[in-house]
Coordinates of all heavy atoms in Angstrom, one line a residue:
M1 N 51.1 15.0 -40.2 CA 49.7 15.0 -39.9 C 49.3 13.8 -39.1 O 48.2 13.8 -38.5 CB 48.9 15.0 -41.1 CG 48.7 16.4 -41.7 SD 47.1 16.5 -42.4 CE 47.4 16.8 -44.1
G2 N 50.0 12.8 -39.0 CA 49.6 11.6 -38.3 C 48.9 11.7 -37.0 O 47.9 11.1 -36.8
S3 N 49.5 12.4 -36.0 CA 48.9 12.4 -34.7 C 48.1 13.6 -34.5 O 47.4 13.8 -33.5 CB 50.0 12.3 -33.6 OG 50.8 13.5 -33.7
Q4 N 48.1 14.5 -35.4 CA 47.2 15.7 -35.3 C 45.8 15.4 -35.6 O 45.5 14.7 -36.6 CB 47.7 16.9 -36.2 CG 48.9 17.5 -35.8 CD 49.2 18.7 -36.8 OE1 48.7 18.8 -37.9 NE2 50.1 19.6 -36.3
K5 N 44.9 15.9 -34.7 CA 43.5 15.7 -35.0 C 42.9 16.9 -35.6 O 43.2 18.0 -35.2 CB 42.8 15.4 -33.7 CG 43.1 14.1 -33.1 CD 42.2 13.8 -31.9 CE 42.5 12.5 -31.3 NZ 41.7 12.1 -30.2
H6 N 42.2 16.7 -36.7 CA 41.6 17.8 -37.4 C 40.1 17.9 -36.8 O 39.4 16.9 -36.9 CB 41.5 17.7 -38.9 CG 42.9 17.8 -39.5 ND1 43.5 19.0 -39.6 CD2 43.8 16.9 -39.9 CE1 44.7 18.8 -40.2 NE2 44.9 17.5 -40.3
R7 N 39.8 19.1 -36.3 CA 38.5 19.3 -35.7 C 37.6 19.9 -36.8 O 37.9 20.9 -37.4 CB 38.6 20.2 -34.6 CG 37.4 20.2 -33.7 CD 37.6 21.0 -32.5 NE 36.5 21.9 -32.4 CZ 36.2 22.6 -31.4 NH1 37.0 22.6 -30.4 NH2 35.1 23.3 -31.3
V8 N 36.5 19.2 -37.0 CA 35.5 19.7 -38.0 C 34.3 20.2 -37.2 O 33.7 19.5 -36.4 CB 35.1 18.6 -39.0 CG1 34.0 19.1 -39.9 CG2 36.3 18.0 -39.7
E9 N 34.0 21.5 -37.5 CA 32.8 22.1 -36.8 C 31.7 22.2 -37.9 O 32.0 22.7 -39.0 CB 33.1 23.4 -36.3 CG 33.8 23.4 -34.9 CD 33.8 24.8 -34.3 OE1 32.8 25.5 -34.3 OE2 34.9 25.1 -33.8
R10 N 30.6 21.8 -37.5 CA 29.4 21.9 -38.4 C 28.3 22.6 -37.6 O 28.2 22.4 -36.4 CB 28.9 20.5 -38.8 CG 30.0 19.8 -39.7 CD 29.4 18.6 -40.3 NE 30.4 18.0 -41.1 CZ 30.6 16.7 -41.3 NH1 29.7 15.9 -40.8 NH2 31.5 16.2 -42.0
R11 N 27.6 23.4 -38.4 CA 26.4 24.0 -37.8 C 25.4 24.2 -38.9 O 25.7 24.3 -40.1 CB 26.7 25.3 -37.2 CG 27.2 26.4 -38.1 CD 27.6 27.6 -37.3 NE 28.3 28.5 -38.3 CZ 27.9 29.7 -38.6 NH1 26.8 30.2 -38.0 NH2 28.5 30.5 -39.4
L12 N 24.2 24.1 -38.5 CA 23.0 24.3 -39.4 C 22.8 25.8 -39.5 O 22.8 26.5 -38.6 CB 21.8 23.6 -38.9 CG 21.9 22.0 -38.8 CD1 20.6 21.5 -38.3 CD2 22.2 21.5 -40.2
A13 N 22.4 26.2 -40.7 CA 22.1 27.6 -41.0 C 21.0 27.6 -42.1 O 21.1 26.8 -43.0 CB 23.3 28.4 -41.3
A14 N 20.2 28.6 -42.0 CA 19.2 28.9 -43.0 C 19.6 30.2 -43.7 O 20.0 31.1 -43.0 CB 17.8 29.0 -42.5
I15 N 19.6 30.2 -45.0 CA 20.0 31.4 -45.7 C 18.9 32.2 -46.3 O 17.9 31.6 -46.9 CB 21.0 31.0 -46.9 CG1 22.2 30.2 -46.4 CG2 21.4 32.2 -47.7 CD1 23.0 30.9 -45.4
F16 N 18.9 33.5 -46.1 CA 17.9 34.4 -46.6 C 18.6 35.2 -47.7 O 19.6 35.8 -47.4 CB 17.5 35.3 -45.4 CG 16.6 36.5 -45.7 CD1 15.3 36.5 -45.4 CD2 17.2 37.6 -46.3 CE1 14.5 37.6 -45.6 CE2 16.4 38.7 -46.6 CZ 15.1 38.7 -46.2
A17 N 18.0 35.2 -48.9 CA 18.6 36.0 -50.0 C 17.5 36.8 -50.6 O 16.4 36.4 -50.8 CB 19.2 35.1 -51.0
A18 N 17.8 38.1 -50.9 CA 16.8 39.0 -51.5 C 17.5 40.0 -52.4 O 18.7 40.4 -52.1 CB 16.1 39.7 -50.4
D19 N 16.9 40.4 -53.4 CA 17.3 41.5 -54.3 C 16.1 42.2 -54.9 O 15.0 41.7 -54.8 CB 18.3 41.0 -55.3 CG 17.7 40.2 -56.5 OD1 16.6 39.6 -56.3 OD2 18.3 40.2 -57.5
V20 N 16.4 43.3 -55.5 CA 15.3 44.1 -56.0 C 15.0 43.7 -57.5 O 16.0 43.7 -58.3 CB 15.6 45.6 -56.0 CG1 14.5 46.5 -56.6 CG2 15.9 46.1 -54.5
A21 N 13.8 43.3 -57.8 CA 13.5 43.0 -59.2 C 13.5 44.2 -60.0 O 12.9 45.3 -59.6 CB 12.1 42.4 -59.2
G22 N 14.2 44.2 -61.1 CA 14.2 45.3 -62.1 C 15.1 46.5 -61.6 O 14.9 47.6 -62.0
Y23 N 16.1 46.2 -60.7 CA 16.9 47.3 -60.1 C 17.6 48.1 -61.2 O 17.6 49.4 -61.1 CB 17.9 46.7 -59.1 CG 18.7 47.7 -58.4 CD1 18.2 48.5 -57.5 CD2 20.1 47.8 -58.8 CE1 19.0 49.4 -56.8 CE2 20.9 48.7 -58.1 CZ 20.3 49.6 -57.1 OH 21.1 50.5 -56.5
S24 N 18.2 47.5 -62.1 CA 18.9 48.3 -63.2 C 18.0 49.2 -63.9 O 18.3 50.4 -64.2 CB 19.6 47.3 -64.2 OG 20.6 46.6 -63.5
R25 N 16.8 48.7 -64.3 CA 15.8 49.5 -65.0 C 15.3 50.7 -64.1 O 15.2 51.8 -64.6 CB 14.6 48.6 -65.4 CG 13.5 49.4 -66.1 CD 12.3 48.5 -66.4 NE 11.8 47.8 -65.2 CZ 11.0 48.4 -64.3 NH1 10.6 49.7 -64.4 NH2 10.5 47.7 -63.3
L26 N 15.1 50.4 -62.8 CA 14.6 51.4 -61.9 C 15.7 52.5 -61.7 O 15.4 53.7 -61.7 CB 14.2 50.8 -60.6 CG 13.0 49.9 -60.6 CD1 12.9 49.1 -59.3 CD2 11.7 50.7 -60.8
T27 N 16.9 52.1 -61.6 CA 18.0 53.0 -61.4 C 18.2 53.9 -62.7 O 18.4 55.1 -62.6 CB 19.3 52.3 -61.1 OG1 19.1 51.5 -59.9 CG2 20.5 53.2 -60.9
E28 N 18.0 53.3 -63.8 CA 18.1 54.0 -65.1 C 17.0 55.1 -65.2 O 17.3 56.2 -65.6 CB 18.0 53.1 -66.3 CG 18.2 53.7 -67.6 CD 18.2 52.7 -68.7 OE1 19.0 51.8 -68.8 OE2 17.2 52.8 -69.6
Q29 N 15.8 54.7 -64.7 CA 14.7 55.7 -64.8 C 14.8 56.8 -63.8 O 14.5 58.0 -64.1 CB 13.4 54.9 -64.6 CG 13.0 54.0 -65.7 CD 11.8 53.2 -65.4 OE1 11.3 53.2 -64.3 NE2 11.2 52.5 -66.4
D30 N 15.3 56.5 -62.5 CA 15.3 57.5 -61.5 C 16.3 57.0 -60.4 O 16.0 56.4 -59.4 CB 13.9 57.6 -60.8 CG 13.9 58.6 -59.7 OD1 14.9 59.3 -59.4 OD2 12.9 58.7 -59.0
E31 N 17.6 57.3 -60.7 CA 18.7 56.8 -59.8 C 18.5 57.3 -58.4 O 18.6 56.5 -57.4 CB 20.0 57.2 -60.3 CG 21.2 56.6 -59.5 CD 22.5 56.9 -60.1 OE1 22.6 57.6 -61.2 OE2 23.5 56.4 -59.5
V32 N 18.3 58.6 -58.2 CA 18.2 59.1 -56.8 C 17.0 58.6 -56.1 O 17.1 58.1 -54.9 CB 18.1 60.7 -56.8 CG1 17.9 61.3 -55.5 CG2 19.4 61.2 -57.4
G33 N 15.8 58.5 -56.7 CA 14.6 58.0 -56.1 C 14.8 56.5 -55.8 O 14.3 56.1 -54.7
T34 N 15.4 55.8 -56.7 CA 15.6 54.3 -56.5 C 16.5 54.1 -55.3 O 16.2 53.2 -54.5 CB 16.2 53.7 -57.8 OG1 15.2 53.8 -58.8 CG2 16.4 52.2 -57.5
L35 N 17.6 54.8 -55.2 CA 18.5 54.7 -54.1 C 17.9 55.1 -52.8 O 18.1 54.4 -51.7 CB 19.8 55.5 -54.3 CG 20.7 55.0 -55.5 CD1 21.8 56.0 -55.7 CD2 21.2 53.6 -55.2
H36 N 17.0 56.1 -52.8 CA 16.3 56.5 -51.6 C 15.4 55.4 -51.1 O 15.3 55.0 -50.0 CB 15.6 57.8 -51.8 CG 14.7 58.3 -50.7 ND1 15.3 58.8 -49.6 CD2 13.4 58.2 -50.5 CE1 14.3 59.1 -48.7 NE2 13.2 58.8 -49.2
T37 N 14.6 54.8 -52.1 CA 13.7 53.8 -51.8 C 14.4 52.5 -51.3 O 14.0 51.9 -50.3 CB 12.8 53.4 -53.0 OG1 12.1 54.6 -53.4 CG2 11.8 52.3 -52.7
L38 N 15.5 52.2 -51.9 CA 16.3 51.1 -51.5 C 16.8 51.2 -50.1 O 16.8 50.3 -49.3 CB 17.5 50.9 -52.5 CG 18.5 49.8 -52.1 CD1 17.8 48.4 -52.1 CD2 19.7 49.8 -53.1
A39 N 17.3 52.4 -49.7 CA 17.8 52.7 -48.4 C 16.7 52.5 -47.4 O 16.9 51.9 -46.3 CB 18.4 54.1 -48.3
A40 N 15.5 52.9 -47.7 CA 14.3 52.8 -46.8 C 14.0 51.3 -46.6 O 13.7 50.8 -45.5 CB 13.1 53.6 -47.3
C41 N 14.0 50.6 -47.7 CA 13.6 49.2 -47.7 C 14.7 48.4 -46.9 O 14.4 47.5 -46.2 CB 13.5 48.6 -49.1 SG 12.0 49.2 -49.9
R42 N 16.0 48.7 -47.2 CA 17.1 48.0 -46.4 C 17.0 48.3 -44.9 O 17.2 47.4 -44.1 CB 18.4 48.5 -46.9 CG 18.9 47.9 -48.2 CD 19.2 46.4 -48.0 NE 20.0 46.1 -46.8 CZ 21.3 46.2 -46.7 NH1 22.1 46.6 -47.8 NH2 22.0 46.0 -45.6
A43 N 16.5 49.4 -44.5 CA 16.4 49.7 -43.1 C 15.3 48.8 -42.5 O 15.5 48.2 -41.4 CB 16.0 51.2 -42.9
I44 N 14.3 48.6 -43.2 CA 13.2 47.7 -42.8 C 13.7 46.2 -42.7 O 13.6 45.5 -41.7 CB 12.0 47.7 -43.7 CG1 11.3 49.1 -43.6 CG2 11.0 46.6 -43.4 CD1 10.3 49.4 -44.6
M45 N 14.4 45.8 -43.7 CA 14.9 44.4 -43.8 C 16.0 44.2 -42.7 O 16.0 43.2 -42.0 CB 15.5 44.1 -45.2 CG 14.5 44.0 -46.2 SD 15.1 43.7 -47.9 CE 16.4 42.6 -47.7
D46 N 16.9 45.2 -42.5 CA 18.0 45.0 -41.5 C 17.3 44.9 -40.1 O 17.8 44.0 -39.3 CB 18.9 46.2 -41.6 CG 19.7 46.3 -42.8 OD1 19.6 45.4 -43.7 OD2 20.5 47.3 -42.9
R47 N 16.3 45.7 -39.8 CA 15.7 45.6 -38.5 C 15.0 44.3 -38.3 O 15.2 43.6 -37.3 CB 14.6 46.7 -38.4 CG 13.8 46.7 -37.1 CD 12.8 47.8 -37.0 NE 11.9 47.9 -38.1 CZ 10.8 47.1 -38.3 NH1 10.5 46.1 -37.4 NH2 10.0 47.2 -39.3
L48 N 14.3 43.8 -39.3 CA 13.6 42.5 -39.2 C 14.5 41.3 -39.1 O 14.3 40.4 -38.4 CB 12.6 42.3 -40.3 CG 11.3 43.3 -40.3 CD1 10.5 43.2 -41.5 CD2 10.5 43.0 -39.1
I49 N 15.6 41.4 -39.9 CA 16.6 40.3 -39.8 C 17.1 40.2 -38.4 O 17.2 39.2 -37.8 CB 17.7 40.5 -40.9 CG1 17.2 40.3 -42.3 CG2 18.9 39.7 -40.6 CD1 18.1 40.7 -43.4
G50 N 17.5 41.4 -37.8 CA 18.0 41.4 -36.4 C 16.9 40.9 -35.4 O 17.3 40.1 -34.5
E51 N 15.7 41.3 -35.6 CA 14.6 40.9 -34.7 C 14.4 39.4 -34.7 O 13.9 38.8 -33.7 CB 13.3 41.6 -35.0 CG 13.3 43.1 -34.6 CD 12.1 43.8 -35.0 OE1 11.1 43.2 -35.5 OE2 12.0 45.1 -34.8
H52 N 14.7 38.8 -35.8 CA 14.5 37.3 -36.0 C 15.8 36.5 -35.7 O 15.8 35.3 -36.0 CB 13.9 37.0 -37.3 CG 12.5 37.3 -37.4 ND1 11.5 36.5 -37.0 CD2 11.9 38.5 -37.9 CE1 10.3 37.1 -37.2 NE2 10.5 38.3 -37.7
G53 N 16.8 37.2 -35.2 CA 18.0 36.5 -34.8 C 19.0 36.2 -36.0 O 19.9 35.4 -35.9
G54 N 18.7 36.9 -37.1 CA 19.6 36.7 -38.3 C 20.8 37.6 -38.2 O 20.9 38.5 -37.4
R55 N 21.8 37.3 -39.1 CA 23.0 38.0 -39.2 C 23.2 38.3 -40.7 O 23.2 37.4 -41.5 CB 24.2 37.2 -38.7 CG 25.5 38.0 -38.8 CD 26.7 37.1 -38.3 NE 26.9 36.0 -39.3 CZ 27.7 36.1 -40.4 NH1 28.2 37.3 -40.7 NH2 27.9 35.1 -41.2
I56 N 23.4 39.6 -41.0 CA 23.6 39.9 -42.4 C 25.1 39.5 -42.8 O 26.0 39.9 -42.1 CB 23.4 41.4 -42.7 CG1 22.0 41.8 -42.4 CG2 23.9 41.8 -44.1 CD1 21.6 43.2 -42.5
A57 N 25.2 38.6 -43.8 CA 26.5 38.1 -44.1 C 27.1 38.9 -45.3 O 28.3 39.0 -45.3 CB 26.3 36.6 -44.6
N58 N 26.3 39.5 -46.1 CA 26.8 40.2 -47.3 C 25.7 41.1 -47.9 O 24.5 40.7 -47.9 CB 27.3 39.2 -48.3 CG 28.2 39.9 -49.4 OD1 28.5 41.0 -49.3 ND2 28.7 39.1 -50.3
T59 N 26.2 42.2 -48.4 CA 25.3 43.1 -49.2 C 26.1 43.5 -50.4 O 27.3 43.8 -50.3 CB 24.8 44.3 -48.4 OG1 25.9 45.1 -48.1 CG2 24.0 43.9 -47.2
A60 N 25.4 43.6 -51.5 CA 26.1 44.1 -52.7 C 25.0 44.8 -53.6 O 24.1 44.1 -54.0 CB 26.8 43.0 -53.5
G61 N 25.1 46.1 -53.8 CA 24.1 46.8 -54.6 C 22.8 46.6 -54.0 O 22.5 47.1 -52.9
D62 N 21.9 45.9 -54.7 CA 20.5 45.8 -54.3 C 20.2 44.4 -53.6 O 19.1 44.1 -53.3 CB 19.6 45.9 -55.5 CG 19.7 44.8 -56.5 OD1 20.9 44.3 -56.7 OD2 18.7 44.4 -57.1
S63 N 21.3 43.7 -53.2 CA 21.0 42.4 -52.7 C 21.4 42.3 -51.2 O 22.3 43.1 -50.7 CB 21.8 41.3 -53.4 OG 23.2 41.5 -53.3
V64 N 20.8 41.4 -50.5 CA 21.1 41.1 -49.1 C 21.2 39.6 -48.9 O 20.3 38.8 -49.4 CB 19.9 41.6 -48.2 CG1 20.2 41.3 -46.7 CG2 19.8 43.1 -48.3
L65 N 22.2 39.2 -48.2 CA 22.3 37.8 -47.9 C 22.5 37.7 -46.4 O 23.3 38.3 -45.8 CB 23.6 37.2 -48.6 CG 23.8 35.7 -48.4 CD1 22.8 34.9 -49.2 CD2 25.2 35.4 -49.0
A66 N 21.6 36.9 -45.7 CA 21.6 36.8 -44.3 C 21.5 35.4 -43.9 O 21.0 34.5 -44.6 CB 20.4 37.6 -43.6
E67 N 22.1 35.1 -42.7 CA 22.0 33.7 -42.2 C 21.3 33.7 -40.9 O 21.3 34.6 -40.1 CB 23.4 33.1 -42.1 CG 24.0 33.1 -40.7 CD 25.3 32.5 -40.6 OE1 25.5 31.2 -40.8 OE2 26.2 33.2 -40.2
F68 N 20.5 32.6 -40.7 CA 19.8 32.4 -39.5 C 20.1 31.0 -38.9 O 20.3 30.1 -39.6 CB 18.3 32.4 -39.8 CG 17.7 33.8 -40.2 CD1 17.9 34.2 -41.5 CD2 17.1 34.6 -39.3 CE1 17.4 35.5 -41.9 CE2 16.6 35.8 -39.7 CZ 16.8 36.3 -41.0
P69 N 20.1 30.9 -37.6 CA 20.4 29.6 -37.0 C 19.1 28.7 -37.0 O 19.2 27.6 -36.8 CB 20.7 30.0 -35.5 CG 20.1 31.3 -35.3 CD 20.1 32.0 -36.6
S70 N 18.0 29.3 -37.4 CA 16.7 28.6 -37.5 C 16.0 28.8 -38.8 O 15.8 30.0 -39.2 CB 15.8 29.0 -36.3 OG 14.5 28.7 -36.5
A71 N 15.6 27.7 -39.4 CA 14.9 27.9 -40.7 C 13.5 28.5 -40.4 O 13.0 29.3 -41.2 CB 14.7 26.5 -41.3
V72 N 12.9 28.2 -39.2 CA 11.6 28.8 -38.9 C 11.7 30.3 -38.8 O 10.9 31.0 -39.3 CB 11.1 28.2 -37.5 CG1 9.9 28.9 -37.0 CG2 10.8 26.7 -37.7
E73 N 12.8 30.8 -38.2 CA 13.0 32.3 -38.1 C 13.3 32.9 -39.4 O 12.9 34.0 -39.7 CB 14.1 32.6 -37.0 CG 13.7 32.4 -35.6 CD 12.5 33.2 -35.2 OE1 12.3 34.4 -35.6 OE2 11.6 32.7 -34.4
A74 N 14.0 32.2 -40.2 CA 14.3 32.7 -41.6 C 13.1 32.9 -42.4 O 12.9 33.9 -43.0 CB 15.3 31.8 -42.3
V75 N 12.2 31.9 -42.3 CA 10.9 32.0 -43.1 C 10.0 33.1 -42.5 O 9.4 33.8 -43.2 CB 10.2 30.6 -43.1 CG1 8.8 30.7 -43.7 CG2 11.1 29.6 -44.0
A76 N 9.9 33.1 -41.2 CA 9.1 34.1 -40.5 C 9.6 35.5 -40.9 O 8.8 36.4 -41.2 CB 9.1 33.9 -39.0
C77 N 10.9 35.7 -40.9 CA 11.5 37.0 -41.3 C 11.1 37.3 -42.7 O 10.7 38.4 -43.0 CB 13.0 36.9 -41.1 SG 13.8 38.5 -41.5
A78 N 11.3 36.3 -43.6 CA 11.0 36.6 -45.0 C 9.6 37.0 -45.2 O 9.3 37.9 -46.0 CB 11.3 35.3 -45.9
V79 N 8.6 36.4 -44.5 CA 7.2 36.7 -44.7 C 7.0 38.1 -44.1 O 6.3 38.9 -44.8 CB 6.3 35.7 -43.9 CG1 4.9 36.2 -43.8 CG2 6.4 34.3 -44.6
E80 N 7.6 38.5 -43.0 CA 7.4 39.8 -42.4 C 8.1 40.9 -43.3 O 7.5 42.0 -43.5 CB 8.0 39.9 -41.0 CG 7.1 39.4 -40.0 CD 7.6 39.8 -38.6 OE1 7.8 41.0 -38.3 OE2 7.7 38.8 -37.8
V81 N 9.2 40.5 -43.9 CA 9.8 41.5 -44.9 C 8.9 41.8 -46.0 O 8.7 42.9 -46.4 CB 11.2 40.9 -45.3 CG1 11.7 41.7 -46.6 CG2 12.2 41.1 -44.2
Q82 N 8.3 40.7 -46.6 CA 7.4 40.9 -47.8 C 6.2 41.8 -47.4 O 5.9 42.7 -48.1 CB 7.0 39.6 -48.3 CG 8.1 38.8 -49.0 CD 7.7 37.5 -49.5 OE1 6.7 36.9 -49.0 NE2 8.4 36.9 -50.5
Q83 N 5.7 41.5 -46.2 CA 4.5 42.3 -45.8 C 4.9 43.7 -45.5 O 4.2 44.6 -46.0 CB 3.9 41.6 -44.5 CG 3.3 40.3 -44.8 CD 2.9 39.6 -43.5 OE1 3.4 39.9 -42.4 NE2 2.0 38.6 -43.6
A84 N 6.0 43.9 -44.8 CA 6.4 45.3 -44.5 C 6.8 46.1 -45.7 O 6.5 47.3 -45.8 CB 7.6 45.2 -43.5
L85 N 7.5 45.5 -46.7 CA 7.9 46.2 -47.9 C 6.7 46.5 -48.8 O 6.6 47.5 -49.4 CB 9.0 45.4 -48.6 CG 10.3 45.3 -47.9 CD1 11.3 44.5 -48.8 CD2 10.9 46.6 -47.5
S86 N 5.8 45.5 -48.8 CA 4.5 45.8 -49.6 C 3.8 47.0 -49.0 O 3.3 47.8 -49.8 CB 3.7 44.5 -49.5 OG 2.5 44.8 -50.2
Q87 N 3.7 47.0 -47.7 CA 3.0 48.2 -47.1 C 3.8 49.5 -47.3 O 3.2 50.5 -47.6 CB 2.8 47.9 -45.6 CG 2.0 48.9 -44.9 CD 1.7 48.5 -43.5 OE1 2.3 47.7 -42.9 NE2 0.6 49.2 -42.9
A88 N 5.1 49.4 -47.1 CA 5.9 50.6 -47.2 C 6.0 51.2 -48.6 O 6.1 52.4 -48.8 CB 7.4 50.3 -46.8
T89 N 5.8 50.3 -49.6 CA 5.8 50.8 -51.0 C 4.5 50.8 -51.7 O 4.4 50.9 -53.0 CB 6.8 49.9 -51.8 OG1 6.4 48.6 -51.8 CG2 8.2 50.0 -51.3
Q90 N 3.4 50.7 -51.0 CA 2.1 50.6 -51.6 C 1.7 51.9 -52.4 O 0.9 51.8 -53.4 CB 1.0 50.4 -50.5 CG 0.8 51.5 -49.6 CD -0.2 51.1 -48.5 OE1 -0.7 50.0 -48.5 NE2 -0.5 52.0 -47.6
D91 N 2.3 53.0 -52.1 CA 2.0 54.2 -52.9 C 3.0 54.4 -54.0 O 2.9 55.4 -54.8 CB 2.0 55.5 -52.0 CG 0.9 55.4 -50.9 OD1 -0.2 54.8 -51.2 OD2 1.1 56.0 -49.8
T92 N 3.9 53.5 -54.2 CA 4.9 53.6 -55.3 C 4.3 53.1 -56.6 O 3.7 52.0 -56.5 CB 6.2 52.8 -54.9 OG1 6.7 53.3 -53.7 CG2 7.2 52.9 -56.0
P93 N 4.4 53.8 -57.7 CA 3.8 53.3 -58.9 C 4.4 51.9 -59.3 O 5.6 51.7 -59.1 CB 4.2 54.3 -60.0 CG 4.6 55.5 -59.2 CD 5.1 55.1 -57.8
P94 N 3.7 51.0 -59.8 CA 4.1 49.6 -60.1 C 5.3 49.6 -61.1 O 6.1 48.7 -61.1 CB 2.9 48.9 -60.6 CG 1.9 49.9 -60.9 CD 2.3 51.1 -60.1
D95 N 5.4 50.6 -62.0 CA 6.4 50.5 -63.0 C 7.6 51.3 -62.5 O 8.6 51.4 -63.2 CB 5.9 51.1 -64.3 CG 5.5 52.5 -64.2 OD1 5.1 53.0 -63.1 OD2 5.5 53.2 -65.2

């Protein structure tokens, strides 16, 4: 290793993480309806993440993990996601 140079690359990234509150309970109550709503919400989130320059790094069940090169864009995306999902689910019963 003596003469070999190890190159270290660093980059800043902002992480966006989201999941569905009460997902297990919702799935137990209405699995098909919950999966349908989840798919619709994911389509909204995926679109907004892309529009804000983010990249989806991982999804598992009801969760989404995305990375953004800018903290400003990550926060702007999160705010828009909350607003869009609130509007999209406004007719859904709260329970």
